[in-house]
Amino acid sequence: NAGVTQTPKFQVLKTGQSMTLQCAQDMNHEYMSWYRQDPGMGLRLIHYSVGAGITDQGEVPNGYNVSRSTTEDFPLRLLSAAPSQTSVYFCASSYSHPNYGYTFGSGTRLTVV
Amino acid sequence: RKEVEQDPGPFNVPEGATVAFNCTYSNSASQSFFWYRQDCRKEPKLLMSVYSSGNEDGRFTAQLNRASQYISLLIRDSKLSDSATYLCGYNFNKFYFGSGTKLNVKP
């Protein structure tokens, strides 16, 4: 199994550009989430989904959109990139039962100039 | 109050030492807790799960104290390769993580 796959691994954007970070999992996990991690800081939840067709906001949702049309995919869209969105983005997934931990993708390092 | 709080460290210990980290959580209804290890510039990886009072895996022991709302991670006989940041978290409808505790194991 591939687990959680994120693409691209690295990206440089100009201020105002838009792009989509891709996340796919092949473990049939119901839960999927997007986090951002800034240097020396913890994981901050952007958006999450408890199943196909259901999404909700985390603690830092502004400037980002998500959709969950299938169980496998959970793309994160940056609407108009800003330098403050320079960060490492992690996608994670889990079974819905609370006894299961999250499996993380390897991350996307985004720089907005 | 943050959902999960951790001492950021760093904890600097010699090889072979025993080191313990604590992590406090705010939601008393939480049932499942986790410790993750994160190496520099890498994704967090699940280290241990804690559902009841505790869990042990080799040199690592995780314990849960529901009365005081904290979980702990004990590492015995520290190795250089244990140097990393350790994140704790819990799953209650969504995942809550602490900011991590940095461990440096020195020769």
Side-chain angles (χ1 to χ4, degrees):
Chain A
N1 286 343
V4 180
T5 302
Q6 289 185 240
T7 56
K9 292 192 182 303
F10 301 93
Q11 183 70 49
V12 179
L13 286 180
K14 292 183 179 179
T15 297
Q17 286 185 314
S18 62
M19 78 160 295
T20 299
L21 308 186
Q22 302 291 346
C23 176
Q25 52 91 9
D26 61 357
M27 298 172 283
N28 205 31
H29 285 169
E30 297 91 346
Y31 285 6
M32 295 186 76
S33 294
W34 276 102
Y35 293 88
R36 61 176 287 175
Q37 188 174 41
D38 299 302
M41 295 185 68
L43 297 161
R44 291 189 290 171
L45 181 64
I46 305 171
H47 286 284
Y48 66 102
S49 169
V50 298
I54 306 169
T55 64
D56 206 347
Q57 295 180 350
E59 60 180 303
V60 288
N62 291 342
Y64 307 94
N65 272 354
V66 292
S67 59
R68 184 99 180 268
S69 55
T70 66
T71 299
E72 294 79 17
D73 299 299
F74 191 43
L76 177 72
R77 282 182 287 278
L78 278 70
L79 308 174
S80 177
S84 60
Q85 294 179 303
T86 293
S87 189
V88 180
Y89 291 84
F90 289 108
C91 178
S93 71
S94 171
Y95 291 113
S96 59
H97 193 283
N99 283 0
Y100 287 94
Y102 263 8
T103 299
F104 283 83
S106 58
T108 294
R109 299 184 182 281
L110 176 69
T111 301
V112 182
V113 298
Chain B
R1 183 184 173 185
K2 289 184 179 179
E3 296 285 345
V4 183
E5 298 204 59
Q6 294 183 254
D7 183 339
F11 284 62
N12 299 309
V13 302
E15 267 188 296
T18 295
V19 61
F21 313 131
N22 280 348
C23 167
T24 59
Y25 61 93
S26 61
N27 189 338
S28 60
S30 306
Q31 298 293 316
S32 307
F33 302 87
F34 304 89
W35 281 103
Y36 283 79
R37 172 195 169 120
Q38 186 174 25
D39 294 296
C40 187
R41 301 177 68 82
K42 298 284 190 180
E43 74 273 23
K45 294 189 176 177
L46 183 63
L47 180 65
M48 296 186 74
S49 305
V50 189
Y51 310 132
S52 56
S53 59
N55 191 11
E56 185 172 325
D57 183 5
R59 298 182 294 109
F60 297 84
T61 300
Q63 293 200 311
L64 169 62
N65 184 316
R66 290 193 185 277
S68 300
Q69 293 186 213
Y70 75 86
I71 60 172
S72 62
L73 178 68
L74 182 76
I75 305 175
R76 290 178 295 276
D77 189 23
S78 298
K79 312 290 185 191
L80 295 176
S81 57
D82 293 333
S83 296
T85 296
Y86 292 84
L87 305 171
C88 67
Y90 68 88
N91 187 357
F92 192 79
N93 298 323
K94 54 188 175 184
F95 239 93
Y96 299 90
F97 288 97
S99 298
T101 297
K102 187 169 177 59
L103 172 65
N104 296 318
V105 182
K106 309 286 189 180

